[in-house]
Amino acid sequence: MMTADAFWQIVAIVLIAASLSVPFGRYLAHVFMGERTFLDPLLDPVDRLLYGIIGPAQTSRPMDWKDYAVHMLLTNVLMGVLIYVILMFQGHLPLNPLHFAGVNPELAFNTAASFITNTNWQNYGGESTLSLFSQTAAITFPMFTSAATGLVVAVAFFRSLAAADGGRNLGNFYRDFVRALTRVFLLPCLILTPVLVWQGSPETFTGQAIAHLVQGGLQHIPMGPVASLEVIKHLGTNGGGFFNANSAHPFENPTIITNVLEMLLMMLTPMSLVVAFGRMVRNPRLARVIYGVMAIMLMAALFIAVSAEQGGTPVLAGAGVAIVHGGGQPGGNMVGKEVRFGNTQSAMFDTVSTAFTTGTVNSMLDSYTPVGGMVSLVLMMLNCVFGGKGVGLINFLIYGIFAVFIAGLMVGRTPEFLGKKIEKREILLASLALLVHPLIILVPAAWSLMAPYGVSALGNTSMHGLTEVIYAFTSTAANNGSAFAGLSGNTPWYNIALGVVMLIGRYVSIIFMLALGGSLAAKPAVSETVGTLRTDTLLFGTFWLATILLVGALTFLPALVLGPIAEYFAMHAHLVS
Amino acid sequence: MSRLESFATAVRFTLATWILCGLAYPAIEVAINQVMFPFQANGSLVQVSGKIVGSRLIGQRFLGARWFHGRPSVVNDDPLTSGGSNLGPMSRRLKQHLIQRSMRLRKEHPGLRGVRLPSDMITSSGSGLDPDISPANAYLQARWIARARGLPSDAMDQLIARHLHRPLLGLFGEPYVNVLTLNLALMKTSPEVH
């Protein structure tokens, strides 16, 4: 069980995030429905300048789902190539005070794939690999654009659900993108970076400081434009750290204030997007049901993870460590955790990070208790507990289409969702969109475990080693980016396999989703009758939750049983490996 | 819309967003924050008589009974390679590390017999650079530091209390003390005899 302090911290953080998400959700709806906001006088000139550079004709024409997808892919490929080239040639580029050589081709591919897909999986340690130019021009840059890509795709999908013109106009990709950049990401980042610096996060183009330590000896302390990266890393649910230790590093996350701020930033847009969805499809009741089910799953995950970490492990108890929190010490499982955060704020941070597909960590998941680590793994397997920029919500809606279909069969009604009939084509596309996820997790994970070059990278043995591999492919497939970091992923196999999984997990899923939206948009709306199965009720919400848990359990239970669940029992039988 | 024109649009778009987000934004923030918060923006470096002795935020190694010790670090407190052990909860190597650290402490300080150690005392942190320890850890160490330095033990307790960080609003986070701050304060109250 958890302490009272922990309980109230969880309740307080979720309540603060929820109360921010309502006004911000309305603001998002305004931005993407082309309505006026109070920021227009300030930002309209910036937008016009960007439209002018990109091309006024291209930024004003309507796009259908195919057009939208093509431009999304085209720009993302170009960004990926740009990042790849910068990383490869960073040795010849400016702002390289520690004189790092170019990144090797496989790692550069993995990193470029990772950052354009909003995954931010890192097979490198930032402070020992990247120049400051790479950290800004190849890492901070895609943190903005991958977040904006995800957001505008979600917006286009929402429009296709509400479309009255058969889906011929889902908006303009470039226009949406520019508005997302200036109004959702850049402005908050500009304002919030100084808050992080005030708390201790560095913001400089000096590469390192050299300290002459109190008891003698030297310490080289690398730094750079850390704070500006940190804000977009969380607001854009990116997660890639400036340093190897990510948000456990005192420069990335120096105090409890930054820890809370970083959590709230991760939660802001995904939660708000559910509110915006309700407005955009003109069905706020449905949005409330979705929000409620997601919030229940999030709270359950937070309670379970925090309790598990506070419970400690038999190995710690056996070594004479105090397990009970109190008396001015943190208790629990402090392996891989920072004193300023303790068990509660650590487990909360990592759980929020995997629910909202950020992937930032302020404590090392590989050293978590079996249950604490499994919470993060399950959240990424379900990939719909708020999730990242729209992806989580779209997955949730796809589960909803299944729920409608199953419930419709059970009570003998024609399945309808948001006023459209669900037929063979929709179920086919929804199945494909959902099946991609387990496929790209389980197949390459099995391959890795059978191959010597897969197993040799493990940092732990037996069940925990299995979990490391499953976790790596789940994290990359869900475009999360957090890791059981004992796995040494910087090998040709993992660089390429994980890179390909990230690309499929992102783009194939997006294309199926947009196609599904296009298919629904092209259908005539059916009017609601007494025979319609209502989806915006508590009853259906419960059924929806059951569908998610059931589909998730059927798909992933064998892997979980062999990994964290077996480990839980082995650990409590006082086994070591 | 021709293919070539679509391509040219995408190229212009990519370069414009790159310059805006990848170059201009960090440069503006560096300029603003170097003026607003020069101490923090440059790594919270602490100087003693004009010499940088470390960063307040980065752990450094202290040895011997006369100083407060930070947490164990699997990267030897080297900021060039931050990180944790990433050993799992039932790892044999983790068990060995914990027992070795515990045994060493108990051998050096027989007063620890029968005492359950604060959980941050022998576990390594996630960053390997944790600059802080828990108050319980500090009070425990204060016993032998006071003896080694010949200071009254209530003076040590006052020193810790003065540098104690409490949870935000009494709820968020954990209490802690910064090891470097504590040791520098210690240096002022009883200067090292070289």
Side-chain angles (χ1 to χ4, degrees):
Chain A
M1 277 318 294
M2 78 183 91
T3 58
D5 273 11
F7 176 83
W8 289 115
Q9 287 186 63
I10 293 173
V11 171
I13 293 289
V14 173
L15 279 180
I16 295 169
S19 55
L20 291 172
S21 73
V22 176
F24 198 73
R26 289 201 188 117
Y27 169 73
L28 281 182
H30 282 306
V31 167
F32 292 109
M33 291 166 89
E35 292 161 4
R36 294 210 61 77
T37 67
F38 67 102
L39 291 170
D40 286 353
L42 182 69
L43 294 174
D44 275 345
V46 184
D47 290 5
R48 274 198 294 274
L49 178 71
L50 286 166
Y51 297 150
I53 295 171
I54 299 160
Q58 277 282 26
T59 52
S60 55
R61 70 189 180 85
M63 292 181 174
D64 63 5
W65 79 264
K66 283 181 192 153
D67 218 354
Y68 212 95
V70 165
H71 284 274
M72 183 274 293
L73 279 175
L74 187 58
T75 51
N76 276 240
V77 167
L78 286 172
M79 287 169 188
V81 171
L82 179 60
I83 297 162
Y84 183 82
V85 170
I86 293 172
L87 294 175
M88 290 273 286
F89 295 102
Q90 66 168 7
H92 306 285
L93 292 167
L95 279 176
N96 188 4
L98 303 190
H99 308 290
F100 291 123
V103 175
N104 78 58
E106 294 103 33
L107 182 58
F109 162 73
N110 184 282
T111 307
S114 174
F115 281 83
I116 53 165
T117 56
N118 200 245
T119 311
N120 292 216
W121 176 270
Q122 294 172 292
N123 276 342
Y124 62 90
E127 70 270 48
S128 56
T129 317
L130 295 187
S131 72
L132 300 186
F133 188 75
S134 295
Q135 293 273 26
T136 57
I139 300 294
T140 307
F141 158 60
M143 284 187 170
F144 280 98
T145 55
S146 65
T149 300
L151 183 58
V152 299
V153 166
V155 164
F157 182 77
F158 298 165
R159 286 190 191 128
S160 66
L161 295 178
D165 59 353
R168 275 183 293 281
N169 181 9
L170 300 183
N172 179 286
F173 172 76
Y174 295 106
R175 194 177 189 84
D176 287 340
F177 202 111
V178 166
R179 286 175 77 85
L181 266 192
T182 55
R183 272 144 232 264
V184 183
F185 298 116
L186 263 173
L187 194 65
C189 284
L190 277 171
I191 296 165
L192 289 173
T193 301
V195 178
L196 257 81
V197 181
W198 165 56
Q199 285 297 302
S201 210
E203 185 70 16
T204 167
F205 284 129
T206 313
Q208 66 173 357
I210 297 172
H212 302 263
L213 302 180
V214 177
Q215 281 194 302
L218 289 180
Q219 199 180 36
H220 294 256
I221 306 174
M223 57 185 84
V226 182
S228 54
L229 180 147
E230 285 308 305
V231 183
I232 187 59
K233 166 180 148 192
H234 295 94
L235 181 62
T237 65
N238 288 288
F242 193 98
F243 301 97
N244 188 43
N246 211 310
S247 276
H249 197 293
F251 278 167
E252 295 202 24
N253 190 0
T255 65
I256 183 67
I257 292 179
T258 58
N259 201 58
V260 169
L261 179 66
E262 289 178 6
M263 269 198 280
L264 292 174
L265 282 172
M266 288 190 244
M267 298 163 90
L268 183 64
T269 20
M271 287 178 105
S272 306
L273 206 57
V274 183
V275 178
F277 165 78
R279 296 204 137 215
M280 290 185 73
V281 301
R282 289 178 292 277
N283 195 342
R285 272 179 61 102
L286 179 66
R288 277 198 284 274
V289 169
I290 297 173
Y291 197 103
V293 174
M294 286 178 166
I296 287 168
M297 288 196 284
L298 176 67
M299 293 289 272
L302 286 167
F303 285 138
I304 295 169
V306 170
S307 304
E309 292 314 300
Q310 287 197 339
T313 67
V315 166
L316 283 161
V321 170
I323 297 296
V324 180
H325 175 276
Q329 61 86 42
N333 174 22
M334 283 298 286
V335 182
K337 296 193 179 72
E338 306 292 296
V339 168
R340 61 196 181 282
F341 306 135
N343 285 290
T344 308
Q345 286 278 331
S346 294
M348 281 174 73
F349 192 93
D350 285 16
T351 304
V352 163
S353 170
T354 42
F356 292 83
T357 73
T358 309
T360 171
V361 292
N362 74 352
S363 45
M364 297 304 135
L365 281 163
D366 215 346
S367 298
Y368 268 40
T369 62
V371 173
M374 189 171 78
V375 168
S376 285
L377 189 56
V378 169
L379 286 169
M380 297 187 304
M381 286 172 167
L382 298 178
N383 203 14
C384 68
V385 183
F386 289 107
K389 302 272 144 324
V391 180
L393 177 54
I394 296 175
N395 278 327
F396 197 94
L397 293 171
I398 290 176
Y399 278 116
I401 289 173
F402 275 102
V404 161
F405 188 69
I406 297 167
L409 289 178
M410 283 161 75
V411 297
R413 287 181 190 171
T414 322
E416 288 165 18
F417 193 64
L418 285 163
K420 299 288 172 75
K421 275 206 178 74
I422 303 299
E423 289 167 309
K424 187 181 155 200
R425 188 177 152 81
E426 287 75 46
I427 287 295
L428 185 71
L429 285 169
S431 307
L432 287 172
L434 276 190
L435 278 175
V436 171
H437 191 55
L439 199 70
I440 59 177
I441 293 172
L442 297 174
V443 172
W447 184 302
S448 301
L449 289 166
M450 287 187 295
Y453 47 83
V455 176
S456 62
L458 298 187
N460 283 276
T461 53
S462 84
M463 307 97 166
H464 202 77
L466 176 94
T467 313
E468 277 183 353
V469 173
I470 301 276
Y471 198 99
F473 286 101
T474 309
S475 172
T476 45
N479 295 141
N480 179 282
S482 65
F484 269 37
L487 184 84
S488 314
N490 190 11
T491 65
W493 161 250
Y494 282 107
N495 273 327
I496 290 167
L498 293 169
V500 170
V501 165
M502 288 188 266
L503 293 174
I504 297 174
R506 176 77 160 184
Y507 297 109
V508 174
S509 305
I510 282 183
I511 287 166
F512 282 135
M513 286 163 184
L514 285 174
L516 178 65
S519 168
L520 285 170
K523 293 194 157 200
V526 287
S527 53
E528 206 170 275
T529 65
V530 282
T532 305
L533 180 72
R534 293 190 66 104
T535 52
D536 52 0
T537 60
L538 185 63
L539 178 67
F540 190 78
T542 315
F543 188 74
W544 204 332
L545 175 63
T547 309
I548 291 168
L549 296 179
L550 202 67
V551 173
L554 285 175
T555 318
F556 291 110
L557 198 61
L560 292 175
V561 167
L562 292 172
I565 295 174
E567 188 183 22
Y568 173 84
F569 288 109
M571 185 184 86
H572 283 286
H574 296 267
L575 296 178
V576 288
S577 66
Chain B
M1 196 61 63
S2 73
R3 288 219 179 122
L4 190 67
E5 201 173 330
S6 285
F7 185 74
T9 307
V11 170
R12 284 196 301 272
F13 168 81
T14 302
L15 290 177
T17 51
W18 182 61
I19 291 165
L20 187 65
C21 305
L23 305 181
Y25 160 67
I28 291 169
E29 290 296 351
V30 169
I32 294 174
N33 288 292
Q34 284 291 332
V35 175
M36 275 172 73
F37 305 106
F39 173 73
Q40 294 96 316
N42 291 304
S44 308
L45 301 173
V46 181
Q47 299 199 1
V48 173
S49 44
K51 209 172 66 176
I52 295 170
V53 296
S55 164
R56 206 186 62 77
L57 290 172
I58 301 292
Q60 59 177 276
R61 177 67 49 90
F62 286 95
L63 299 168
R66 298 175 59 85
W67 300 95
F68 285 98
H69 293 195
R71 299 178 66 193
S73 164
V74 291
V75 297
N76 297 315
D77 302 272
D78 183 2
L80 293 170
T81 54
S82 65
S85 71
N86 285 310
L87 292 173
M90 52 181 285
S91 151
R92 177 171 285 125
R93 265 163 61 211
L94 175 69
K95 187 176 179 173
Q96 284 165 355
H97 289 172
L98 292 172
I99 289 176
Q100 275 166 12
R101 289 173 195 145
S102 162
M103 299 269 276
R104 198 182 312 129
L105 269 173
R106 288 174 201 275
K107 208 172 117 196
E108 282 168 18
H109 310 289
L112 287 174
R113 182 167 317 199
V115 177
R116 284 224 156 247
L117 302 175
S119 68
D120 61 309
M121 204 165 188
I122 59 170
T123 53
S124 58
S125 68
S127 63
L129 306 171
D130 196 339
D132 310 314
I133 54 176
S134 70
N137 186 344
Y139 284 116
L140 213 50
Q141 295 190 44
R143 293 196 216 163
W144 56 77
I145 297 170
R147 212 171 308 129
R149 288 189 177 250
L151 289 166
S153 62
D154 56 338
M156 291 294 292
D157 289 355
Q158 279 165 19
L159 185 89
I160 295 169
R162 214 167 34 244
H163 292 97
L164 181 70
H165 292 258
R166 290 190 172 74
L168 179 66
L169 308 174
L171 178 64
F172 297 101
E174 302 284 329
Y176 65 87
V177 282
N178 183 286
V179 178
L180 180 60
T181 316
L182 217 49
N183 279 332
L184 291 179
L186 202 56
M187 213 155 77
K188 267 188 204 146
T189 43
S190 71
E192 278 290 275
V193 190
H194 287 289

